[in-house]
Amino acid sequence: METQSENACFGGVQGVYTHRSDSCDCDMTFGLFLPEEAKDGPVPVLWYLSGLTCTHENAMTKAGAQGWAAEQGIALVFPDTSPRGDDVADDDAYDLGKGAGFYVNATQDPWTPHYRMWDYLAEELPSLITGNFAVDADRQAITGHSMGGHGALTLAMGLPGRFRSVSAFAPISNPVASDWGRKQLTAYLGADESAWAAHDSSLLMREKGFDGPVLVDTGTSDQFIDLLRPEALAEAAAARRQQAMLRMQPGYDHSYFFISTFMEDHVAFHAEALYAG
């Protein structure tokens, strides 16, 4: 692992690190904010998964999360959204290929060799971070935006017991029924739709739910709201009687202005769960 940068930030350190990924078979870069409390021992951690076209850098520089995390004594992880490198398959469209890994393990060519973002985030990167930094593996929470909200919800429900809480900003909530989903799931996983179900948070909510608190914010003026399908997740949560706050925020769109407005709420929401018990 190589240190790309480390900057003092709200009493802690915002670092950027690169390492060779066995899961993705390429070099991967991630951001990690450690609050001041990490000098004295392991701290809880909140994972933030970004959306289409993003890298580790978008949320790290635009979400305004570090100040709120510093107040709560929580670490933040900002992973990349896909594998990178000259030999990694890509597509001319912004919503497939690099920057659009969709947090799945691809089973179809040409994506199979590198696009294993589920394994990367479920196993490899957590092990790397808890093994090298003062982060508490037993106190983890997860959030994300858009494609990353999809990833946060599916990882939380797909890895029972891993995360104490889950939240999302404008998640792609029902990709099996959306053009933001059907295209990518077909490309990465093939035409058999039974393989898609593990990566649809509305279907997972009906089948499994989440053993903990859930918070989802979506803007009523989100320009992609028909692709996000927040109503599908709300219906699934109601049917399961899941503990959840699913909020429609009047006038907000899909941008980081929306995310930064409600980031304090989300960090505080996760802090309550991470420090409980």
Side-chain angles (χ1 to χ4, degrees), residues 120-164:
Y120 179 66
L121 288 169
E123 301 299 336
E124 184 177 8
L125 189 56
S127 295
L128 179 72
I129 288 175
T130 57
N132 289 276
F133 300 96
V135 168
D136 188 346
D138 293 326
R139 291 187 292 167
Q140 300 190 59
I142 192 167
T143 188
H145 172 231
S146 194
M147 178 185 72
H150 139 81
L153 290 165
T154 56
L155 280 159
M157 288 185 276
L159 299 171
R162 172 72 62 86
F163 302 104
R164 295 194 180 188

Side-chain angles (χ1 to χ4, degrees), residues 40-163:
D40 299 321
V43 295
V45 60
L46 174 60
W47 293 76
Y48 182 102
L49 307 187
S50 287
L52 289 168
T53 76
C54 293
T55 69
H56 69 281
E57 194 171 24
N58 293 71
M60 190 180 80
T61 59
K62 295 194 293 186
Q66 291 93 336
W68 306 120
E71 284 193 7
Q72 302 287 353
I74 292 172
L76 298 169
V77 182
F78 304 101
D80 204 346
T81 54
S82 76
R84 306 282 174 175
D86 293 340
D87 61 342
V88 173
D90 199 8
D91 191 271
D92 290 338
Y94 75 93
D95 58 355
L96 188 67
K98 293 179 185 177
F102 260 76
Y103 305 104
V104 303
N105 286 340
T107 60
Q108 307 297 305
D109 290 332
W111 314 106
T112 306
H114 300 286
Y115 284 76
R116 304 193 64 81
M117 291 299 293
W118 180 277
D119 283 353
Y120 179 66
L121 288 169
E123 301 299 336
E124 184 177 8
L125 189 56
S127 295
L128 179 72
I129 288 175
T130 57
N132 289 276
F133 300 96
V135 168
D136 188 346
D138 293 326
R139 291 187 292 167
Q140 300 190 59
I142 192 167
T143 188
H145 172 231
S146 194
M147 178 185 72
H150 139 81
L153 290 165
T154 56
L155 280 159
M157 288 185 276
L159 299 171
R162 172 72 62 86
F163 302 104

